[in-house]
Amino acid sequence: MLGKFFQKPANDDQRVPPGQYLTKGMPVLTYGDTPKINLDTWQLRVWGTVEPRTFNWSDFMNLPQSEFTKDFHCVTRWSRLDVQWTGIKVTDFLSLLEIYPNTSHVMQHCYGDYTTNLTLEELAREDNFFAFKLFDKPLTPEHGGPMRLVVPHLYAWKSSKWLNGLEFLDHQELGFWERNGYHRSGDPWQEERYS
Ligand SMILES: Nc1nc2c(c(=O)[nH]1)N[C@H]1C(S)=C(S)[C@@H](COP(=O)(O)O)O[C@H]1N2
Ligand SMILES: [Mo]
């Protein structure tokens, strides 16, 4: 019934949110096509209730880099423990910006037009990062290469692959899945799957 990719959680129980099964692999989950991205023209833009800025790939790679080991929970019920990433802390990036005090929410934008919403507080968590390596290899296009966001404390649909923009907002707007029935917050420990 569970299929060969899944096993029941054993002693990792406390790390597996309710209603999730462990997988040992790293499934690919994308709505639509994988965009083709050229590093020479790659950009990460910030706009909205923030001083607008555009970062190119070399600007971005000059930021301090670290390794992260985090669990990854998809709302379709698979969880993968101990995923190893290399990336840049979101808080380090945010410290470069002039975010206006009326900011309450942030929309993630991507190559390929996917969007997903967060509160500023959820985005500014210490354990969030922009990843460009997965298990020590450059992030492949299907997993979001050259760069994706990882927000480990929420369901993985909140971790945009091919991120290219952060839109700062003074109100909440809903992203792609959130407009299509997913929960606006997406905390796996509260099983915030659907709205
Ligand atoms: N741009 C974009 N980001 C996305 C998605 C997507 O379809 N497009 N899918 C999300 C979902 S539902 C999940 S579970 C994770 C899957 O990441 P993976 O394919 O690297 O495992 O990416 C998230 N980020
Ligand atoms: Mo997902």
Side-chain angles (χ1 to χ4, degrees):
M1 171 72 203
L2 293 179
K4 64 178 174 174
F5 298 111
F6 295 93
Q7 60 175 46
K8 277 221 174 326
N11 52 356
D12 288 322
D13 263 7
Q14 316 82 325
R15 294 172 62 184
V16 185
Q20 296 290 111
Y21 289 102
L22 287 184
T23 173
K24 286 209 180 287
M26 184 76 182
V28 171
L29 233 123
T30 301
Y31 182 86
D33 297 327
T34 297
K36 289 203 171 59
I37 299 166
N38 182 338
L39 284 187
D40 297 331
T41 54
W42 181 92
Q43 290 189 332
L44 177 61
R45 281 201 314 127
V46 303
W47 72 95
T49 55
V50 62
E51 282 300 305
R53 299 232 348 226
T54 301
F55 297 81
N56 65 26
W57 187 253
S58 64
D59 300 331
F60 201 67
M61 287 299 117
N62 279 329
L63 298 175
Q65 305 182 358
S66 331
E67 319 255 300
F68 304 85
T69 301
K70 293 288 172 190
D71 301 342
F72 200 67
H73 310 294
C74 174
V75 70
T76 64
R77 298 185 183 273
W78 55 268
S79 288
R80 166 72 202 261
L81 302 184
D82 294 324
V83 182
Q84 287 167 246
W85 308 93
T86 308
I88 291 161
K89 286 183 71 163
V90 168
T91 49
D92 286 341
F93 179 75
L94 294 180
S95 70
L96 304 173
L97 306 180
E98 213 183 300
I99 301 168
Y100 304 155
N102 57 340
T103 307
S104 56
H105 292 81
V106 181
M107 185 69 76
Q108 303 172 36
H109 293 264
C110 305
Y111 291 102
D113 285 344
Y114 184 86
T115 53
T116 184
N117 58 279
L118 293 174
T119 62
L120 177 61
E121 197 182 345
E122 283 165 348
L123 177 70
R125 291 212 4 169
E126 281 292 331
D127 56 350
N128 297 342
F129 52 92
F130 302 98
F132 49 83
K133 280 188 180 177
L134 174 60
F135 294 109
D136 218 27
K137 296 200 184 76
L139 195 59
T140 56
E142 63 268 27
H143 285 300
M147 191 282 273
R148 75 178 300 164
L149 183 62
V150 180
V151 179
H153 72 287
L154 298 177
Y155 283 123
W157 92 76
K158 297 286 190 180
S159 293
S160 282
K161 304 196 271 193
W162 319 293
L163 185 80
N164 71 357
L166 293 173
E167 179 185 7
F168 292 76
L169 297 160
D170 64 3
H171 60 279
Q172 184 169 59
E173 286 185 17
L174 299 182
F176 171 71
W177 282 121
E178 293 84 0
R179 284 195 306 273
N180 286 285
Y182 281 19
H183 196 278
R184 50 188 62 203
S185 303
D187 179 350
W189 299 97
Q190 307 298 327
E191 285 212 76
E192 293 176 341
R193 297 176 192 275
Y194 310 109
S195 60

